[in-house]
Amino acid sequence: MHSYGDWTYIMRLFGKQRRAAKILLFLIDCVVGAAYAGFVVSFPALVVHLIQQPILPGLSTVLVILAIALVGYGLNILDTHLQDGLTQFTFDFRFDYIPVFSGLIFNWRQADIDSVQGKAVIDQAYEAIYNGGNDGIGAVVDNTLQAVRTSIQVIIVALVLGYFNPLADPDCGGNQLGGIRVAADR
């Protein structure tokens, strides 16, 4: 990627077909991914709380913890499935771009196509399409979506960690867990 203009051109082309489906899938993936990240960060604190202050007796607490773990596992499976859907959109985009690229080449003069520079441009363009998952147009789209998704997850994790920060409430003396007072560390 050499310039901002190339990036915007690729992202605009990616959004041309089935835009609503791609945006909806990406937003759902962001929500599920953020929920999973929040779950991973908050699960240990929740388990500690359930063990220290059980809602149900003995074995029932273990079953509640296992049920919550299964919810987290389900979020992980759903997150992976949604990411696979986005990867399929990116893969399809690469191959949808081949006729666009070919149409542009057919508008060139034959002398330009046969020139060394013309052949180099054509080779680079085909490399960007066929090797797209590594460093071509597919990688540009994948990396952009991943950067946005990861940024949202970092914000969610920071919020969850801030909520469960035991030092957040000075009245509690460092023994607070998400607004719930826990046993002192003595």
Side-chain angles (χ1 to χ4, degrees):
M1 187 61 34
H2 297 292
S3 71
Y4 175 74
D6 292 342
W7 176 80
T8 56
Y9 176 73
I10 290 171
M11 293 307 292
R12 216 172 326 155
L13 280 177
F14 179 70
K16 269 190 175 180
Q17 294 179 350
R18 298 174 61 187
R19 175 183 227 130
K22 291 174 185 176
I23 290 172
L24 183 63
L25 182 63
F26 179 66
L27 291 176
I28 292 171
D29 181 45
C30 285
V31 168
V32 171
Y36 179 67
F39 173 82
V40 167
V41 172
S42 63
F43 183 68
L46 184 61
V47 169
V48 167
H49 175 71
L50 287 173
I51 290 172
Q52 286 181 346
Q53 298 177 355
I55 299 170
L56 302 169
L59 185 60
S60 298
T61 300
V62 173
L63 292 176
V64 168
I65 292 171
L66 287 174
I68 294 169
L70 285 175
V71 168
Y73 187 66
L75 282 171
N76 186 18
I77 291 171
L78 182 58
D79 185 40
T80 302
H81 181 71
L82 293 170
Q83 285 182 21
D84 288 346
L86 286 172
T87 301
Q88 186 63 45
F89 274 134
T90 304
F91 182 80
D92 292 346
F93 164 66
R94 287 175 34 212
F95 289 95
D96 289 343
Y97 190 72
I98 292 171
V100 173
F101 172 70
S102 299
L104 292 172
I105 290 175
F106 289 135
N107 291 331
W108 289 5
R109 293 185 342 222
Q110 188 63 41
D112 291 337
I113 294 173
D114 293 336
S115 71
V116 173
Q117 184 180 8
K119 290 187 184 304
V121 168
I122 292 169
D123 288 343
Q124 289 172 352
Y126 273 115
E127 186 69 22
I129 293 170
Y130 288 109
N131 195 22
N134 297 322
D135 58 5
I137 61 175
V140 170
V141 173
D142 284 339
N143 291 339
T144 299
L145 297 177
Q146 189 63 31
V148 172
R149 184 178 185 278
T150 302
S151 298
I152 292 170
Q153 286 179 340
V154 166
I155 291 168
I156 295 298
V157 167
L159 291 172
V160 169
L161 287 176
Y163 179 76
F164 285 111
N165 183 358
L167 302 176
D169 186 7
D171 295 334
C172 186
N175 296 316
Q176 184 168 340
L177 177 65
I180 300 169
R181 203 164 165 78
V182 295
D185 300 16
R186 294 185 190 152

